[in-house]
């Protein structure tokens, strides 16, 4: 139970008794049981990899070109291409894919509008995502890449949340 008489005289930070007050704390580690263990320090890279195991986003917000490249592959036949996006770490499971913006397919000679981008398969290690891109007038087996078409608002989300 809150009792203000337990605090030092003239204190003004009444966190419990003040509406919308905040209390900030850092450097705390919760333990199971009654034995303390050494504090676990994780690097930024380790913490980032732990997050990317569940969600990874590829976008062209930092690109200097509106036609940023998202993945490389080859035309399967005249109306579809396959491209691979490497993931920075192993994901928890096969991710679901969502996209935004306007994508295209280019073979270095001609750029084509993409009519659909969908997930085809993920390798057994969950370290790459293979996308199938529907387009038209592609030349079978020619190398291609997926690119953004409408500026800097394209993205591909890979989500492996629980």
């Amino acid at each position: 139970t809150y009792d203000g008489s337990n605090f030092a005289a003239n204190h003004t930070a009444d966190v419990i008794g003040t509406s919308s007050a905040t209390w900030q704390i850092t450097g705390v580690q919760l333990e199971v049981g009654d034995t303390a263990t050494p504090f676990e320090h994780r690097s930024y890279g380790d913490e980032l990899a732990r997050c990317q195991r569940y969600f990874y986003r590829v976008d062209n917000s930092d690109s200097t070109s509106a036609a940023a490249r998202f993945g490389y592959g080859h035309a399967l036949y005249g109306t579809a291409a396959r491209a691979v996006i490497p993931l920075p770490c192993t994901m928890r499971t096969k991710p679901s894919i969502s996209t935004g913006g306007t994508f295209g397919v280019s073979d270095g000679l001609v750029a084509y509008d993409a009519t659909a981008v969908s997930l085809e398969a993920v390798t057994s290690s969950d370290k790459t995502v293979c996308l199938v891109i529907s387009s038209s007038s592609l030349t079978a087996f020619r190398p291609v890449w997926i690119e953004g078409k409408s500026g800097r608002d394209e993205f591909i989300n890979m989500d492996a949340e629980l």
Side-chain angles (χ1 to χ4, degrees):
T1 307
Y2 170 72
D3 182 357
S5 65
N6 292 332
F7 289 92
N10 300 323
H11 77 279
T12 58
D14 188 354
V15 174
I16 297 171
T18 303
S19 177
S20 300
T22 60
W23 179 53
Q24 298 174 341
I25 189 168
T26 185
V28 174
Q29 177 173 295
L30 300 178
E31 298 284 350
V32 175
D34 57 4
T35 305
T37 61
F39 191 80
E40 183 179 359
H41 294 275
R42 292 186 190 151
S43 70
Y44 177 83
D46 183 42
E47 202 64 40
L48 180 61
R50 288 171 184 259
C51 293
Q52 289 173 334
R53 182 176 170 349
Y54 297 94
F55 183 84
Y56 183 62
R57 178 183 178 113
V58 179
D59 63 34
N60 61 346
S61 61
D62 294 334
S63 174
T64 57
S65 168
R69 296 176 182 175
F70 285 84
Y72 297 89
H74 67 279
L76 298 169
Y77 37 85
T79 59
R82 180 180 292 151
V84 174
I85 297 175
L87 300 172
C89 64
T90 302
M91 296 196 82
R92 185 187 68 83
T93 187
K94 180 178 176 177
S96 61
I97 302 293
S98 61
T99 62
T102 306
F103 291 91
V105 179
S106 180
D107 62 10
L109 299 173
V110 180
Y112 305 96
D113 290 336
T115 55
V117 179
S118 62
L119 174 69
E120 180 188 72
V122 177
T123 63
S124 60
S125 67
D126 295 333
K127 286 202 157 230
T128 60
V129 170
C130 183
L131 301 172
V132 172
I133 305 95
S134 298
S135 191
S136 61
S137 304
L138 297 171
T139 302
F141 307 112
R142 183 171 279 174
V144 297
W145 57 82
I146 305 172
E147 62 185 13
K149 298 293 283 184
S150 62
R152 289 177 179 72
D153 60 350
E154 287 84 14
F155 64 86
I156 301 172
N157 289 338
M158 285 136 297
D159 190 341
E161 290 283 340
L162 295 173

